[in-house]
Amino acid sequence: MSSASANETQPLLEGERSTSPLPPSRTSTLLFEPEAGPASAVGSGEPLALGLLLKSLLVDSIPVTLSYVLQNSIQTVSVLVVGRLGPHELSVAAFSFMLATIGEIVSRWCVALGGTTALDTLGSQAYTGGDPKSLSVHFQRCLILLWLLFIPVGFLWANLEPILLFLGQQPDLSRDVQRFMSMLLLGAPGYIGFESLKKYLQCQGIMRASTIVLILISPINLILNVFFVHYTPLGLLGSPAAISVTLTLCFLFLGIFAYFSPAHRANNTWVTANITTVLNARSCIQFLSLAIPGILMVGTEWAAFEIVALAAGHLGPLPLAAQSVIMTADQVLNNIPFGIGVAASTRVGSLIGGRHAQGAKQASHASALLSSIIGLLIMIVLLACRNVFGYVFSEDEEVIRRVSKVMPLVASFQIWDCLAGSCGGVLRGLGRQHLGAMFNLIAYYVLALPMGIALAFLPQMQLGLQGLWIGQVVALTIIALGEYAFIWLAIDWEREVQLCIEQNEAEAKRLRVHD
């Protein structure tokens, strides 16, 4: 920590020279010079300018969001390529990817995206408030534990057909979805590794690395999809084969980038820890106490959308095709609030780790404001394009008409999705993943899903796909307003700083990591 006094702490614009002993990338992550004093001291810090916070969050969120959009485009490209084979193949591909986001029980996506949220908390706080080399140990622990968590997931993916039949899905769809997802298993280790390594770099303020890698990989993914699907006997199965290769390449390319990155070397965060240190029982319990609620936080939301997809399947092939189009698009759009949430969690975690309670509080409000503005802009664009949006994914006029009818609800959904994304990021930065999971469980499973299913299927209602989406809009409204109210009214920011100091000191003792 710096030996400057708390009174001398000033906001630091990205690119300015810092007198702090921390590397420049670490001070730019903080946006202020870390506070000094005894290790147990808690400082509120000087207030940070709203404009500076908004700018820094936007600058951080753009490459992160672009990274997630490009990452999601890997499967979107597959849906587009496979969709040209016919309506059945389109439904299989889109349905399989929606199943791939159902939650910790049947999904590598949630194990990776949800499990790595523990690094949002532990990594960002350790990087600015503890021994920076402990960040690399957190990363290694994350990688091993999430690979282990995925083993039962892989078993279920390989035996998914009887589960889908039990849930009432068509036999041919159930068979092909199991074949599709069994092939997709091959890319799971690479995907988990890529997500973990990406978070490790983001905790250091290295936001653009994954974006650069994905820009390089995206054309390779398109070529692989076209080749495997249309020019090999694999056909439909060529899509998951191409994705598995692509995700493995993403992990390898990002690892090479990190190894040769001057910024990563300057941060001096890497240490190769022995397996006993990495799998220290208390540290693993601490990690899992954040990772498992993080998986639930991500998984409960996406599982709710999967339930909507299953319900849409009972409405008939055309509503299912329309839902597949909407969900494929929404999975891309969802990366925008998720990217803002990552920027918010890194910012809040770094400020808490740097003992800047007031700055962390301001960053939480700034991220909510930024996400609401972006959500409003997305809503306006979707409403303007609602009558032609379906043509991107399908040439069937009836599918396009049904997409157009539901699009106003999907558009209004975006404001609350963006606000919930930023608030979820703040909760992850504070290590409160369990609260996000609780809000999701209540909003979706107690209130919104029963309401949506009733509106869709009850004889006196029969709103079909529109009824299902009304429930989704209600859920996100409750989650967004509930999480923001909690952050605004219930968080003791100076207490959060003190808890972080105690946690970092305990971890340093356990790890015994030295420069």
Side-chain angles (χ1 to χ4, degrees):
M1 302 302 292
S2 169
S3 60
S5 68
N7 295 336
E8 294 168 348
T9 299
Q10 296 296 332
L12 180 66
L13 288 170
E14 197 163 356
E16 288 183 353
R17 185 177 301 275
S18 171
T19 58
S20 168
L22 294 174
S25 61
R26 204 177 313 164
T27 53
S28 65
T29 297
L30 281 169
L31 277 179
F32 77 103
E33 190 172 341
E35 296 186 36
S40 61
V42 179
S44 296
E46 295 291 331
L48 301 177
L50 177 62
L52 178 65
L53 279 170
L54 288 173
K55 177 185 175 182
S56 63
L57 285 166
L58 182 61
V59 167
D60 280 355
S61 66
I62 288 174
V64 174
T65 300
L66 182 58
S67 169
Y68 282 112
V69 170
L70 288 169
Q71 196 169 319
N72 211 299
S73 73
I74 291 173
Q75 70 184 50
T76 304
V77 165
S78 296
V79 172
L80 290 172
V81 172
V82 170
R84 302 305 171 185
L85 295 175
H88 172 72
E89 288 81 359
L90 171 63
S91 295
V92 169
F95 196 76
S96 296
F97 285 126
M98 284 185 283
L99 283 177
T101 56
I102 194 171
E104 76 172 313
I105 299 178
V106 294
S107 166
R108 80 152 183 260
W109 313 112
C110 281
V111 169
L113 288 175
T116 55
T117 63
L119 282 181
D120 289 335
T121 307
L122 299 173
S124 59
Q125 292 185 5
Y127 180 62
T128 56
D131 186 334
K133 288 189 175 180
S134 65
L135 171 57
S136 64
V137 183
H138 285 305
F139 160 67
Q140 293 165 63
R141 183 177 299 123
C142 174
L143 202 59
I144 293 173
L145 291 179
L146 293 188
W147 276 339
L148 292 174
L149 280 177
F150 182 72
I151 292 174
V153 174
F155 178 80
L156 285 174
W157 272 23
N159 297 276
L160 195 56
E161 182 179 359
I163 298 174
L164 294 177
L165 291 172
F166 176 77
L167 294 173
Q169 296 303 310
Q170 298 174 2
D172 58 341
L173 180 67
S174 301
R175 181 193 67 247
D176 287 342
V177 166
Q178 175 174 299
R179 293 170 61 214
F180 193 101
M181 296 182 75
S182 295
M183 182 69 75
L184 210 55
L185 281 172
L186 299 176
Y191 185 78
I192 292 171
F194 179 70
E195 279 298 317
S196 301
L197 183 54
K198 180 168 63 175
K199 285 293 178 73
Y200 163 73
L201 295 173
Q202 287 170 350
C203 287
Q204 302 172 55
I206 304 174
M207 301 291 186
R208 298 176 179 85
S210 58
T211 308
I212 294 171
V213 167
L214 287 164
I215 289 173
L216 295 174
I217 290 291
S218 292
I220 298 175
N221 175 61
L222 175 59
I223 292 169
L224 288 173
N225 268 278
V226 172
F227 176 74
F228 284 160
V229 171
H230 293 290
Y231 296 98
T232 72
L234 288 171
L236 173 64
L237 295 182
S239 174
I243 290 174
S244 294
V245 173
T246 299
L247 293 174
T248 303
L249 288 176
C250 284
F251 182 34
L252 293 176
F253 278 34
L254 190 59
I256 294 170
F257 186 101
Y259 182 80
F260 289 103
S261 168
H264 177 242
R265 287 176 177 271
N267 289 341
N268 194 30
T269 58
W270 185 258
V271 60
T272 302
N274 61 58
I275 194 67
T276 304
T277 301
V278 172
L279 297 182
N280 174 276
R282 289 187 179 181
S283 297
C284 287
I285 290 171
Q286 180 190 41
F287 182 89
L288 292 173
S289 71
L290 296 171
I292 291 175
I295 291 170
L296 290 174
M297 186 177 180
V298 174
T300 48
E301 180 177 357
W302 284 348
F305 281 95
E306 174 55 24
I307 292 171
V308 169
L310 292 170
H314 289 284
L315 292 172
L318 288 175
L320 177 58
Q323 173 68 7
S324 298
V325 169
I326 292 168
M327 278 305 302
T328 300
D330 186 71
Q331 284 169 8
V332 175
L333 291 173
N334 180 259
N335 289 294
I336 298 175
F338 200 84
I340 297 172
V342 169
S345 64
T346 302
R347 179 73 63 210
V348 169
S350 295
L351 288 164
I352 290 292
R355 309 180 189 187
H356 201 296
Q358 181 66 20
K361 179 179 179 180
Q362 289 176 289
S364 68
H365 294 303
S367 66
L369 175 60
L370 177 64
S371 63
S372 298
I373 294 170
I374 292 175
L376 178 62
L377 294 175
I378 297 173
M379 182 188 76
I380 293 170
V381 171
L382 289 180
L383 288 175
C385 301
R386 65 185 183 277
N387 293 325
V388 297
F389 191 86
Y391 285 106
V392 177
F393 298 91
S394 176
E395 297 173 358
D396 188 295
E397 292 294 334
E398 183 58 27
V399 171
I400 293 164
R401 187 186 68 81
R402 289 174 183 263
V403 170
S404 176
K405 283 186 66 176
V406 180
M407 191 55 69
L409 289 168
V410 178
S412 64
F413 172 89
Q414 302 305 315
I415 294 180
W416 305 114
D417 195 22
C418 283
L419 179 58
S422 66
C423 291
V426 172
L427 291 177
R428 294 194 300 271
L430 295 171
R432 304 295 182 86
Q433 286 87 334
H434 65 285
L435 290 175
M438 182 187 70
F439 276 111
N440 286 352
L441 284 169
I442 294 173
Y444 281 115
Y445 299 94
V446 177
L447 300 173
L449 282 173
M451 176 195 301
I453 291 171
L455 290 173
F457 292 101
L458 285 181
Q460 54 269 47
M461 298 293 182
Q462 289 191 328
L463 293 178
L465 198 55
Q466 288 174 292
L468 294 175
W469 271 91
I470 288 172
Q472 299 300 87
V473 173
V474 169
L476 257 295
T477 303
I478 293 170
I479 291 166
L481 294 179
E483 288 182 348
Y484 185 65
F486 180 86
I487 291 167
W488 184 17
L489 301 174
I491 296 294
D492 182 342
W493 295 93
E494 295 196 6
R495 175 60 179 159
E496 296 298 321
V497 171
Q498 184 61 56
L499 291 173
C500 174
I501 292 170
E502 295 169 0
Q503 170 186 288
N504 285 333
E505 289 179 345
E507 182 68 10
K509 281 184 179 180
R510 289 196 296 266
L511 298 177
R512 299 183 182 277
V513 175
H514 302 287
D515 291 329

